[in-house]
Amino acid sequence: MKYLLDMHCPIGSVLGDDCNLYQELASLETLDEIQLWLNQLYEKILNYFQQKNEEKKSPFERALDYIHMNYRHDFEISRIADHIGISYSHFRRIFRENTGDNVINYINTLRINESKRMLCQTSLTINDIAQHLGYNSSQTFNRFFKKYEGITPGEFRASQTGKDA
């Protein structure tokens, strides 16, 4: 609580206006209940600071965060714009202004880079890697991989392990 007060945080906004910590703590009977209550209390505090931190970020930064958290899933690009609260066309424009590239290429580059790591460091099949990275099929994954890298995922894996594809 001292930390929240030192940070000039409105405790009611963090924990709820009707929160009475002493009364809640006094009602707990076991150490397990106290541990659970403390975990929930810390979670509320962390969520408050994460939300405040998120509010300080620009729409572009929030979009990048969303992309990096979700690029492994198949999703519509319009979801990013909805998530950050701007129009799809505005999102596309600010993304290009900040990266010099379009969002599809950016996401595919993330996926291809992650797939290269997985091809080198795991024994997952190419189909499993494709599914893990949000591609609808291994054929789609193969096509994008070849477009970005100039070789197939199988050829890439073979070149990294010294085996024939």
Side-chain angles (χ1 to χ4, degrees):
M1 301 294 35
K2 182 176 177 351
Y3 177 75
L4 292 176
L5 292 172
D6 289 346
M7 296 295 293
H8 305 290
C9 295
I11 293 176
S13 296
V14 178
L15 305 176
D17 290 327
D18 59 346
C19 181
N20 184 330
L21 294 176
Y22 300 109
Q23 185 178 9
E24 287 182 23
L25 185 57
S27 71
L28 302 174
E29 296 180 4
T30 67
L31 289 176
D32 287 339
E33 288 177 343
I34 293 171
Q35 181 181 10
L36 179 62
W37 179 77
L38 284 171
N39 286 340
Q40 291 169 343
L41 181 68
Y42 292 140
E43 189 173 325
K44 285 180 183 179
I45 294 168
L46 286 173
N47 287 340
Y48 173 81
F49 284 109
Q50 287 173 341
Q51 181 180 0
K52 286 297 177 190
N53 191 32
E54 191 71 19
E55 291 171 1
K56 293 178 185 177
K57 292 181 178 179
S58 71
F60 174 71
E61 291 170 318
R62 293 194 322 263
L64 276 185
D65 287 348
Y66 185 87
I67 290 168
H68 284 266
M69 287 177 18
N70 294 288
Y71 76 91
R72 290 180 183 96
H73 309 287
D74 186 23
F75 63 88
E76 298 291 322
I77 304 303
S78 60
R79 262 179 152 177
I80 303 167
D82 291 342
H83 176 76
I84 61 175
I86 62 175
S87 73
Y88 177 73
S89 59
H90 182 61
F91 163 66
R92 286 179 46 207
R93 188 174 71 251
I94 65 168
F95 195 88
R96 183 171 289 284
E97 287 172 359
N98 282 278
T99 65
D101 202 359
N102 70 54
V103 68
I104 299 292
N105 282 337
Y106 186 86
I107 291 169
N108 279 320
T109 299
L110 286 175
R111 287 176 172 172
I112 297 303
N113 287 337
E114 177 64 6
S115 72
K116 291 187 324 190
R117 185 197 66 76
M118 293 174 80
L119 287 164
C120 291
Q121 297 177 2
T122 73
S123 60
L124 291 172
T125 67
I126 290 172
N127 189 49
D128 288 343
I129 291 171
Q131 289 179 350
H132 179 77
L133 293 173
Y135 288 102
N136 292 326
S137 69
S138 59
Q139 291 84 6
T140 303
F141 170 57
N142 282 327
R143 187 174 63 248
F144 277 105
F145 194 96
K146 187 160 186 156
K147 176 183 175 183
Y148 285 83
E149 295 299 315
I151 58 175
T152 68
E155 292 168 338
F156 178 82
R157 179 176 266 168
S159 74
Q160 299 302 305
T161 59
K163 298 178 185 173
D164 291 331

